[in-house]
Amino acid sequence: MSRKVLWGIVAGALLVAGYLYWVGSAKPTNLAVGDCVSVAAAGQLNAVKCAADTGVYQVLAKFNGSDSNQCDTVSGTVKSFVLDQPSTGGLVVCAGKAK
C-alpha cells in the first residue's frame, strides 16, 4: 500500500472521529435552573419556551456526575436526565412539570 493511500485513510478516519465527537457533544449542557426542556426523538434535550405543555419539563437542579439518584432529594422532580459531558464526567438534570 502506498504512503498516499495510507495517509488518506488516516485523514479520513480522523475526520469521521472529529465529526462524531462534534455531533455527540451538541447537547445543551449550558442549561440553567428554571430553563425548560423537551425531549427529542433521539433522547436529546432541547431548550424550549416554558409552557404547561405535555412533554415540557422545567430544570429544578443540576449535578455533575452520572448518578441520577441525586434528584431524589430535589422536591418536585418527575424526571431525571443524565447527559454525557466529558469535562465533568456527566451532568444530571433534575426536571419537574413546567409552569
Side-chain angles (χ1 to χ4, degrees):
M1 187 179 309
S2 75
R3 282 188 147 182
K4 286 183 179 181
V5 171
L6 184 60
W7 280 112
I9 292 171
V10 170
L14 288 174
L15 184 64
V16 169
Y19 174 76
L20 292 175
Y21 176 78
W22 177 71
V23 168
S25 65
K27 296 178 177 77
T29 56
N30 59 342
L31 293 171
V33 172
D35 287 350
C36 288
V37 295
S38 67
V39 182
Q44 183 175 355
L45 293 182
N46 294 320
V48 295
K49 184 176 178 180
C50 290
D53 294 335
T54 303
V56 176
Y57 301 96
Q58 190 165 15
V59 176
L60 302 176
K62 300 185 321 179
F63 300 99
N64 288 333
S66 59
D67 183 9
S68 63
N69 291 326
Q70 296 176 91
C71 291
D72 293 345
T73 62
V74 179
S75 178
T77 298
V78 295
K79 193 157 183 78
S80 61
F81 304 95
V82 179
L83 304 177
D84 196 23
Q85 188 177 25
S87 62
T88 63
L91 179 69
V92 176
V93 176
C94 309
K97 292 182 181 179
K99 299 175 186 172

